[in-house]
Amino acid sequence: PAGEPPQAGSAARIEALVGRLTLAEKISLLHGARDPAPLGQAGYVPGVARLGIPPLRIAEGTAGVRVDRPATALPAPVLLASAFDPGLAREYGRLLGREGRALGQDVLLAPRANLIRTPYAGRNAEGFAEDPKLTADLVAEVVRGIQDEGLVAAVKHFALANQEQGRDTLDVVAAEQTLHESELRGFEAAVAAGAGAVTAAPHKVNGTWATENGDLLHDVLRSGWGFDGWVLSDRDGAHSTVAAVTAGLDMELPGTATHYGAALHQAVRGGTVTEQAVDLAVRRVLTTMDRFGLLDAARPARPVRDAAAGARTARRVATAGAVLLRNERGTLPLAGPDARSIAVIGPTGGVPYVSGGARVVAEHADSPYTAIRRKAGRTATVRYALGEDLYGKPLPADLLSPAADLENRTVEPGRTFTHQAEFTLAEDDEWTVLLHWSGPRPDVRLDGEELFADRPGPTAPQAGGLLGTAPDGLAVRRRTLTLKAGPHRLAVDARGGDRGQRFRLRHTTRASRAADLAEAVKAARASRSVVLFAYEDSAEGADRSGLALPGAQAALIEQVTAANPRTTVVLNTSSAVTMPWLERTGAVLQMYHPGQEGAGATADLLFGAVDPGGRLTQTYPADEQTHPAGGNPLRYPGVSGRVEWTEGVHGGYRWYDSEQAAPLFPFGHGLSYTTWRYEKLTVRPERGGLRVEFTVRNTGRRKGTEVAQVYVGPSPELRLDQPVRALAGYRRLTLGPGQSQRITLDLDARTLSSWDPAQHTWVVGKGLREVSVGRSSRDLPLRAGAVVR
């Protein structure tokens, strides 16, 4: 239109833009394209320059902004969640928002609102909790934080995306009550917090692809919750054109235009999709862009990244979320003589373990050994022993005939390196052959068999839980074989590709593994205290094959704890692990994927500079069978491509309560370096809900941090399935020795409600409700009841 453009934020402005866009320009706003100046982000939408519509850059970012430039590598969301601190979640989100804007991004594919449903799921570290309320509270604050800084938050993956196995093909089935009381709670909270975008899951939900599911995208998301942003697909998650547009999918994830490029243009021309439907999708995208000032002539200035501020937040989160699972015989905190003679053991004790599979380009990260040595001081003796070699030892120079140095080979662009050799073993042996490489994966054949060919099943580099990247950034793969005594043939073929590459071929043997273990045991015996770092690498692309620590770590822990019972095991895992070695340890500290400041935070906790204030947001099962998905393939990993949430509303700790099963560690569990007492509980009706008051007292000699938890029992008047108890509120507090605090928590009507599938709405659970208060879902010393009217 002639004259001045309509005012920012007005519907007229959006309508004016839509009216001037050609059909080709409209469609270009609904799918990705090649970025002329790529920043290593997940996708790019080109915009329409002639109308002042800027491009959009879209990045992954659950634990830090994933581009090819340095960013703060934050602790995993599960570690953030363990702090039970919505205020800290807001700070976490604000850092993501500031850094995303500073690094040239406009949309962040975060947070991940899917529940932690099974301990096998490869992306549990990116989730928050198995509990719907805690997940909803924290997701909402991360969304607010991201968007406080002007970055659009695209909450994911809507919905029921709780495993990696079959994630692109599964049909995930859940009843209406189960959906609303469990998985949808986090997404609903994100919408209430103003999330600008929602990423649809790539699989089917109740028989229909999530990207074509009108029940989800229209009835629940837009009509039910009032969502007014745009919906985009996960990468390659769109499965059609007409059905997806009709259901309400607005954008095919940038980088692909399979269904929303030429196919959408043809559908409009052919009449199977109306141009009005395209306009509606474009209108949603532009309205959200306008809300964030992206359509203004003078767009919001991008901030300068503050690396020091990012490091401070990363350190604060890693410290706040650490969970002390066990502490016997005064093992922690390290003090006196026990703090002046320490053995640090384990491969991830000697190298930084930052983000698991959420690869963020961190500027700097210490190893735990470095941080512990610094914290212990110059007068302390701090030894290091590898324990288990994850990266292998060079092949002996005289092993191969003809000889070749395969330790650090460089292949120039366009060139090829080949070598064929023989070697002879004097006796039978078990080898692990390790390949490290930077370009096209070299072909390695042993006795004619290709060792590292891609096979059906998980192909993520960390599949199997072992670290998939060497300290210098080279990718790593391993293959363990039993080799007979006698001659063997080795052939290596490596291509330089377009950019050239480096590679090395290494191995471990039965003798080298025994020597590494013996060295660790020797260091443990020579020290007053041991800190043993155990890990499991997991991320997008593959689920865990089991709940035990990968590799030979269990044997390492058994041997080291036998040599020195004052052993603290620090776990850098994404989720629950089984612990057959638990009773031999002095302490166990769960640090998850701790981010770039994880080593310093771990040292602070070990030496008692701070109290471990984290609490478990997922139940740790006692064994492989005793958990909601244990022994039930229909629940996980699925049968004939179908997964069913037959546990209903009894997910996570609720299942353990309903089945009267004993966990290894319950939801909400976490120890402190001080002691606590709960007293003087009162519960009374208040404004349609319940007001809960109680006192928490620090009865120990140290300043400490506690997470007080409130659970509510079922309503006797609702003829609906209800959990034995559900988390209804919590409060994180820090008190000095002898101090007490009176806590007041209001449980509103929604917290006391269940979803009624007959009425398709929430109904308040009236009648006498039992309220329990304490330190975890299984440690609830205070109980009282009140009538909900």
Side-chain angles (χ1 to χ4, degrees), residues 744-762:
T744 300
L745 291 173
D746 288 323
L747 314 186
D748 61 15
R750 176 63 179 274
T751 300
L752 300 168
S753 296
S754 295
W755 183 269
D756 186 343
Q759 301 183 56
H760 308 295
T761 190
W762 293 95

Side-chain angles (χ1 to χ4, degrees), residues 141-182:
E141 292 305 319
V142 172
V143 166
R144 290 187 180 102
I146 292 170
Q147 298 191 161
D148 284 347
E149 302 297 326
L151 195 68
V152 179
V155 63
K156 61 184 184 181
H157 305 86
F158 190 60
L160 299 176
N162 312 91
Q163 64 186 70
E164 293 302 282
Q165 187 168 338
R167 65 176 188 168
D168 298 325
T169 57
L170 280 174
D171 181 11
V172 188
V173 177
E176 184 179 326
Q177 182 186 359
T178 302
L179 262 174
H180 283 271
E181 290 193 29
S182 57

Side-chain angles (χ1 to χ4, degrees), residues 65-431:
V65 182
R66 291 174 59 182
V67 294
D68 57 11
R69 299 178 183 179
T72 301
L74 285 163
V78 69
L79 185 54
L80 166 69
S82 300
F84 278 73
D85 188 344
L88 188 62
R90 184 72 165 261
E91 182 182 344
Y92 187 98
R94 293 194 74 156
L95 177 64
L96 289 172
R98 281 195 303 277
E99 293 215 338
R101 292 277 300 144
L103 292 167
Q105 304 305 301
D106 306 293
V107 182
L108 197 67
L109 300 174
R112 185 174 183 268
N114 304 110
L115 292 181
I116 296 175
R117 178 174 178 254
T118 168
Y120 298 111
R123 299 181 78 171
N124 279 350
E126 295 181 62
F128 291 89
E130 66 188 22
D131 179 74
K133 174 179 172 51
L134 181 60
T135 297
D137 290 349
L138 300 178
V139 163
E141 292 305 319
V142 172
V143 166
R144 290 187 180 102
I146 292 170
Q147 298 191 161
D148 284 347
E149 302 297 326
L151 195 68
V152 179
V155 63
K156 61 184 184 181
H157 305 86
F158 190 60
L160 299 176
N162 312 91
Q163 64 186 70
E164 293 302 282
Q165 187 168 338
R167 65 176 188 168
D168 298 325
T169 57
L170 280 174
D171 181 11
V172 188
V173 177
E176 184 179 326
Q177 182 186 359
T178 302
L179 262 174
H180 283 271
E181 290 193 29
S182 57
E183 177 78 354
L184 295 188
R185 290 277 299 277
F187 293 96
E188 183 181 8
V191 170
V198 168
T199 303
H203 54 74
K204 294 178 181 179
V205 174
N206 290 335
T208 304
W209 295 111
T211 51
E212 303 168 8
N213 197 312
D215 291 343
L216 281 178
L217 302 185
H218 178 267
D219 297 352
V220 173
L221 183 63
R222 291 196 168 101
S223 180
W225 298 342
F227 176 66
D228 59 1
W230 87 84
V231 178
L232 63 156
S233 72
D234 198 15
R235 182 169 298 278
D236 300 323
H239 300 274
S240 68
T241 301
V242 177
V245 172
T246 302
L249 180 72
D250 302 307
M251 181 183 288
E252 189 173 11
L253 181 66
T256 57
T258 305
H259 301 288
Y260 274 34
L264 180 55
H265 197 281
Q266 184 177 354
V268 174
R269 292 301 185 204
T272 53
V273 172
T274 66
E275 190 162 353
Q276 287 77 15
V278 173
D279 289 350
L280 181 57
V282 170
R283 195 175 289 117
R284 289 167 179 154
V285 174
L286 293 179
T287 298
T288 305
M289 292 178 68
D290 193 37
R291 172 185 157 198
F292 284 81
L294 299 179
L295 299 182
D296 296 347
R299 296 182 187 111
R302 292 191 183 273
V304 176
R305 179 172 172 262
D306 187 339
R312 287 192 296 271
T313 296
R315 180 72 163 259
R316 192 153 45 244
V317 173
T319 305
V323 184
L324 184 60
L325 298 176
R326 173 179 168 87
N327 191 20
E328 300 294 322
R329 303 180 293 277
T331 300
L332 293 181
L334 298 174
D338 298 327
R340 294 195 290 272
S341 173
I342 304 170
V344 177
I345 294 174
T348 49
V351 297
Y353 186 80
V354 177
S355 301
R359 313 297 180 191
V360 178
V361 182
E363 286 167 312
H364 173 76
D366 281 338
S367 72
Y369 172 62
T370 299
I372 290 171
R373 193 173 56 181
R374 183 187 303 123
K375 194 75 177 178
R378 295 181 179 179
T379 61
T381 299
V382 182
R383 302 171 177 86
Y384 175 68
L386 187 62
E388 182 183 15
D389 191 345
L390 295 182
Y391 302 115
K393 294 171 171 55
L395 297 171
D398 59 352
L399 176 71
L400 300 179
S401 179
D405 180 9
L406 300 179
E407 172 57 19
N408 194 13
R409 301 294 311 198
T410 299
V411 185
E412 299 296 326
R415 305 296 295 272
T416 299
F417 168 85
T418 59
H419 187 75
Q420 297 184 23
E422 291 188 352
F423 64 92
T424 301
L425 295 183
E427 58 185 9
D428 294 354
D429 204 349
E430 184 181 82
W431 275 30

Side-chain angles (χ1 to χ4, degrees), residues 464-676:
L466 299 171
L467 298 183
T469 306
D472 61 356
L474 298 191
V476 178
R477 283 201 186 173
R478 305 165 180 83
R479 181 76 180 276
T480 298
L481 315 100
T482 298
L483 300 182
K484 296 291 185 181
H488 296 273
R489 293 174 291 111
L490 178 70
V492 180
D493 188 315
R495 293 164 287 116
D498 296 334
R499 299 183 179 181
Q501 79 154 314
R502 292 187 300 125
F503 80 92
R504 51 183 170 256
L505 193 66
R506 292 181 171 182
H507 77 320
T508 62
T509 65
R510 190 176 289 123
S512 72
R513 289 190 289 273
D516 288 335
L517 183 57
E519 180 193 11
V521 170
K522 180 180 177 181
R525 287 192 177 123
S527 306
R528 288 287 298 254
S529 302
V530 176
V531 183
L532 191 157
F533 286 83
Y535 71 93
E536 181 171 29
D537 206 16
S538 64
E540 182 176 2
D543 283 340
R544 303 164 67 195
S545 58
L547 303 185
L549 290 169
Q553 292 183 96
L556 175 63
I557 295 172
E558 294 278 3
Q559 294 280 338
V560 168
T561 52
N564 190 332
R566 292 189 61 81
T567 295
T568 297
V569 175
V570 179
L571 293 171
N572 293 131
T573 60
S574 66
S575 195
V577 296
T578 50
M579 304 181 195
W581 37 263
L582 180 65
E583 294 304 317
R584 290 190 173 205
T585 64
V588 179
L589 179 66
Q590 176 58 270
M591 291 297 299
Y592 294 110
H593 298 169
Q596 68 181 53
E597 303 299 318
T602 302
D604 284 346
L605 290 151
L606 292 172
F607 286 87
V610 290
D611 194 46
R615 303 294 182 261
L616 288 181
T617 68
Q618 51 188 315
T619 307
Y620 279 35
D623 54 54
E624 293 273 359
Q625 295 300 313
T626 312
H627 55 86
N632 190 332
L634 190 58
R635 289 184 184 172
Y636 176 86
V639 176
S640 301
R642 179 184 174 98
V643 164
E644 294 187 11
W645 283 48
T646 55
E647 70 270 32
V649 299
H650 305 286
Y653 65 91
R654 304 175 182 194
W655 179 87
Y656 289 84
D657 289 341
S658 65
E659 297 294 319
Q660 298 182 333
L664 182 63
F665 294 111
F667 175 88
H669 171 75
L671 303 178
S672 169
Y673 290 149
T674 188
T675 54
W676 303 90

